[in-house]
């Protein structure tokens, strides 16, 4: 292991790396309960999603550790799973098989643009202000989903949305979990989101024992009967996905965009922390890390889950000394072992338990608002439009499209057309055609 992972060279050792891997796993483990909850809204089986989530996370994390030697773990990403369930399958009306087909194709495209170097051209073309706006917008979007799933926010005929029934025990449990999780994040408790979810579940189980309805209940701890019913189902969705070429391209772009920059941001952040970024801002073995991420997405779609991406929670493992791929391999092995405990995790992962995790992760993503130059009207208008349209249109991809159109118009109106990359013009044409296609 010393020779393969270069432990001494990186200033680490086996014990530290394994401890870091365990820490990262605990910080990410909430996805095992949240992802099945989110994707089940598309009609997928929660048990099948759980199996795909755990195995794809384990596989991709191990690949990252072995190929790139990065202490970065991967799993189906937050935000992009909402894009899958609530936009592609919800607002657009596609089946989950078609959505899996889109994830699979986007993964293959990601592999292609990684090995050919197109990645650099795309990164340079997308305005940094739009990257921040989209990241923050997705944060608001998944937080809104969390409030809705918890019953804290409900539909209202007069005002569209309104406050839920605060006497409902499930709503109160979600509020309790949210406040406790926020407090632990502020106190910098390790793996705060996961600990908050577990604590909420424990309180719910206890309340259930006292006869309160709707609480999570544990009937079985472990099982060796794995549900692979979603594996390979992406193949049956290609026809439906490409039945509308314009929408298909928008869907693929949305999956690519979210995964692409989420991964790049995570890798750069962690790379800076452990000395993997050179003076030019380039990542050591960066292409290998991006390739591992892309391979993880392809494998995840084949297994039956949404886009697999690098998790920023990996910084928790780096914080306790993780410096090499052995950290990621350790996390990956733990994800594979977690498949055994699907009955326990799924039985406690009710909306009241998982909603606080969605909301808190949304808050964290929304912190990117601080990086937007709100004093510049072009950026402010584009960012605001991106965020508000994601929420009100209930669609991540529609929000991205609206934001890019407003950004381009703003740059033209301010006489800054020379700053616009030709790729931006191409995207705008694509988005306009997409909106026109919705009218017919």
């Amino acid at each position: 292991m010393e020779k393969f992972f270069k432990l001494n060279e990186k200033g680490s050792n086996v014990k530290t790396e394994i401890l870091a891997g365990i820490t990262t796993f605990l910080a990410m483990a909430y996805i095992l309960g949240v992802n099945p909850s989110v994707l089940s809204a598309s009609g997928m089986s929660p048990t099948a999603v759980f199996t795909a989530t755990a195995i794809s996370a384990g596989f991709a994390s191990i690949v990252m550790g072995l190929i790139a030697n990065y202490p970065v773990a991967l799993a189906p990403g937050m935000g992009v799973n909402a894009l899958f369930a609530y936009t592609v399958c919800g607002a657009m009306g596609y089946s989950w098989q078609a959505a899996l087909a889109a994830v699979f194709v986007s993964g293959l495209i990601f592999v292609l643009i990684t090995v050919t170097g197109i990645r650099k051209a795309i990164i340079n073309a997308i305005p940094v202000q739009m990257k921040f706006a989209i990241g923050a917008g997705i944060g608001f979007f998944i937080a809104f989903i969390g409030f809705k799933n918890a019953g804290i926010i409900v539909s209202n005929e007069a005002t569209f949305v309104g406050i839920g029934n605060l006497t409902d025990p499930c709503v109160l449990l979600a509020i309790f979990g949210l406040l406790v999780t926020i407090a632990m994040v502020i106190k910098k408790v390790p793996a705060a989101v996961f600990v908050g979810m577990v604590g909420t579940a424990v309180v719910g189980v206890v309340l259930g024992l006292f006869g309160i309805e709707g609480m999570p209940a544990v009937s079985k701890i472990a099982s060796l009967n794995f549900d692979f019913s979603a594996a390979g189902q992406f193949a049956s969705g290609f026809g439906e996905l490409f039945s509308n070429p314009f929408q298909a391209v928008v869907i693929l772009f949305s999956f690519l965009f979210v995964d692409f920059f989420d991964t790049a941001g995570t890798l750069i952040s962690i790379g800076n922390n452990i000395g993997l970024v050179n003076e030019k801002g380039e990542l050591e073995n960066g292409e290998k890390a991006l390739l591992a991420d892309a391979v993880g997405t392809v494998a995840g779609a084949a297994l039956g889950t949404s886009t697999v991406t690098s998790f920023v929670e990996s910084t928790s493992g780096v914080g306790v000394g993780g410096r090499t791929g052995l950290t990621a391999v350790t996390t990956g092995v733990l994800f594979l072992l977690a498949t055994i405990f699907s009955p326990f995790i799924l039985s406690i992962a009710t909306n009241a338990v998982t909603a606080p995790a969605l909301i808190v992760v949304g808050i964290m993503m929304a912190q990117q608002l601080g990086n937007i130059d709100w004093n510049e009207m072009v950026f402010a208008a584009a960012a605001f439009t991106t965020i508000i349209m994601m929420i009100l249109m209930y669609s991540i991809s529609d929000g991205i499209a609206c934001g890019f159109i407003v950004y381009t118009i703003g740059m033209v109106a301010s006489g800054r057309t020379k700053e616009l990359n030709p790729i931006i013009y191409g995207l705008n044409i694509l988005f306009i055609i997409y909106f026109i296609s919705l009218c017919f």
Side-chain angles (χ1 to χ4, degrees), residues 5-27:
F5 292 108
K6 303 178 182 179
L7 296 177
N8 287 337
E9 180 183 326
K10 300 293 184 180
S12 187
N13 55 63
V14 173
K15 180 181 178 180
T16 299
E17 294 293 308
I18 292 177
L19 177 61
I22 294 171
T23 302
T24 298
F25 172 76
L26 291 176

Side-chain angles (χ1 to χ4, degrees), residues 103-104 106-108 111 293-303:
V103 174
F104 184 82
S106 70
L108 292 179
V111 171
D293 184 277
V295 169
T297 291
V298 174
L303 287 165

Side-chain angles (χ1 to χ4, degrees), residues 121-177:
I122 298 176
I123 288 180
N124 292 334
I126 306 299
V128 66
Q129 295 287 323
M130 289 302 297
K131 297 173 190 174
F132 293 136
I134 290 168
I138 293 173
F140 280 104
F141 184 76
I142 64 174
F144 179 66
I145 291 170
F147 281 116
K148 182 179 75 72
N149 288 351
I152 298 173
I153 298 297
V154 297
S155 61
N156 184 297
E157 291 185 3
T159 59
F160 293 105
V161 293
I163 191 168
N165 180 9
L166 298 184
T167 64
D168 186 326
C170 293
V171 175
L172 293 175
L173 177 64
I175 294 173
F176 165 80

Side-chain angles (χ1 to χ4, degrees), residues 357-373:
L358 286 169
I359 296 168
V360 172
V361 171
I363 293 172
M364 294 174 176
M365 295 179 71
Q367 289 180 304
Q368 295 178 69
L369 283 173
N371 297 316
I372 298 172
D373 184 3

Side-chain angles (χ1 to χ4, degrees), residues 191-245:
V193 175
F194 175 71
V195 174
M197 195 166 74
V198 171
T200 305
V202 169
V203 171
V205 169
V206 172
L207 292 174
L209 294 175
F210 283 93
I212 297 179
E213 296 182 359
M215 296 294 110
V218 179
S219 58
K220 191 176 183 180
I221 300 297
S223 173
L224 294 176
N225 295 321
F226 306 127
D227 185 353
F228 288 101
S229 61
Q233 293 299 312
F234 72 94
S236 64
F238 285 116
E240 180 185 355
L241 173 64
F242 291 103
S243 62
N244 185 326

Side-chain angles (χ1 to χ4, degrees), residues 378 406-417 420 425:
V378 173
V406 170
Y407 173 79
T408 304
I409 292 174
M411 292 295 283
V412 171
S414 62
R416 299 164 64 180
T417 55
L420 287 173
Y425 287 113

